[in-house]
Each structure stands twice: as structure tokens, then as C-alpha cells.
Amino acid sequence: MRAPLRGLFELLLPAICAACAQAVEPGRSLCAPCDRALPRFRGEAPPLLPASVECVTATSYEGAVSDWMRRFKYPKRGFAGLDPAAQSVLRAWILEAAERTAGERPELVIPVALHARRLRARGFNPAALLAGALSRDMGLRHDPTVLIRIRDTPSQTGLDRRARRRNVEGAFRAREDLDGITRVWLVDDVVTTGSTAAAAAHALAERGVRSVTVVCAARTPLQTHEAEEPIL
Ligand SMILES: [Zn+2]
């Protein structure tokens, strides 16, 4: 959405908590008690992501977080088929995650790509919505066309680690004309083992990107890895 349009869109949203409808400060999507009650991720780095790739997140994919994620990714109502309350909550989370990165600001923000067939079926790429919102909120360059998903891989749900890695290996290609871009943020909604992000980071490295930080709204807690990753 273009910036003036987005401003108008935000004016239409009342300054109330998206979860409990209490008044909130302008620009906040959740009130302080609802925000404090969110499950936070306390775990290790994603096991299938190379140690050189930093991964930051805002929340743990369980409880209220998975409910918001479902509303965001599978919207039933709202403007143009999207859910504005869920979008504003997720936008706050991706910004919060990005503020945890240790290194310098990136030259480019890139969403994890969906295969064209899945994009057509879904109508939008949740990761691209988050990457776009993040780049506007932080004044960073954003390009959703850099990564291309060349294989339409089956869902990672129900696969063990080895199968996940194999499933997404070689699934991405990055555009050749990255013009000396070396530092990027790779945005996704949920990271589980990190296998998808690892495959995307590998494709970027092949084009000369030396530093990739994965910025995600939620991480799946270990015990639910295999069972609860959302179907992309
Ligand atoms: Zn609230």
C-alpha cells in the first residue's frame, strides 16, 4: 500500500487494543497488559540455520500468538480480504524483532518468497506484507522480487529435520542484479527449524550477499516443531 493510503487506512483504525478493545496510545496495536501476556520465545537459534546467520524474533508461536498468526495468514474478513487488526499486531511484532538485531542496518529488506502457484492460490504473501511494513516503519529499502521460489515444495508440516532440509534444498534463486548488495534482512512470519530461511540465505549468498539476518514475527517452540508449523 502506498504511504498516503496507508496513513488514511490507519486513521480508520480506532485507537483501541486489537485484543481487548481497551484504549491504547496512538500507534500501538495492543495495550500493555495484552502485550505483556504474549508468549515470548526463549530458546536456541534455529537448528538448521547456519551459525553465521542471525535470527531475531518477537514472540513464541503458541497460544494467542498462533491465533493472531492464523487471522493474519488466513483472513476471513476486513478490507480487501485482509484483517486490519491482525495486520497491525503482526506489523508491531516484526518491528519489535527487527529492533533486536545486533548488527548494522541492512541495505535491503527481502521477504521469503512464495512459489507463484501458492501466491495465486493465497492472493498475498504474508512475509511480503511484513517486509513492506517493516521497511516503511524503519525507512529501509524493500524489494519483494529479489528471491524467487523456483520449486513449489510440499508443506514442511509433519516432516522431521532431515526431511525439512531436503524438502527446501535448492528451492530459491536470487536475482542476479543485486548490484553489490552485501547485507540484507530476510523477513518471514514464522521460523521453525530454519530450513526455509537457510535455503533462501544460501541463494542470496550465491549472489554475493555476505550478511543475512532473519527477522521473523514468531518462532515455533521446540516441542511443537513437527506438529504445528503453519501450512504455507
Ligand atoms: Zn488489550
Side-chain angles (χ1 to χ4, degrees), residues 38-138:
L38 291 173
R40 300 292 173 172
F41 185 79
R42 317 239 175 271
E44 310 281 305
L48 297 184
L49 203 58
S52 59
V53 178
E54 183 192 20
C55 179
V56 290
T57 191
T59 65
S60 182
Y61 186 68
E62 56 193 318
V65 168
S66 34
D67 295 339
W68 281 116
M69 196 65 77
R70 207 170 299 121
R71 275 181 67 174
F72 173 64
K73 296 179 73 166
Y74 304 96
K76 287 191 177 63
R77 58 191 175 82
F79 303 104
L82 299 171
D83 184 329
Q87 283 201 63
S88 79
V89 169
L90 267 287
R91 176 178 160 192
W93 290 350
I94 204 74
L95 182 61
E96 185 182 326
E99 281 164 351
R100 295 198 173 138
T101 56
E104 286 174 72
R105 292 286 170 90
E107 296 154 292
L108 198 57
V109 179
I110 298 172
V112 168
L114 280 184
H115 189 272
R117 195 178 309 145
R118 283 182 195 251
L119 185 59
R120 272 198 305 277
R122 182 189 276 282
F124 71 104
N125 177 358
L129 278 187
L130 293 179
L134 179 62
S135 64
R136 285 190 298 272
D137 286 343
M138 297 188 81

Side-chain angles (χ1 to χ4, degrees), residues 17 19-20 22 31 34:
C17 173
C20 74
Q22 298 286 321
C31 70
C34 286

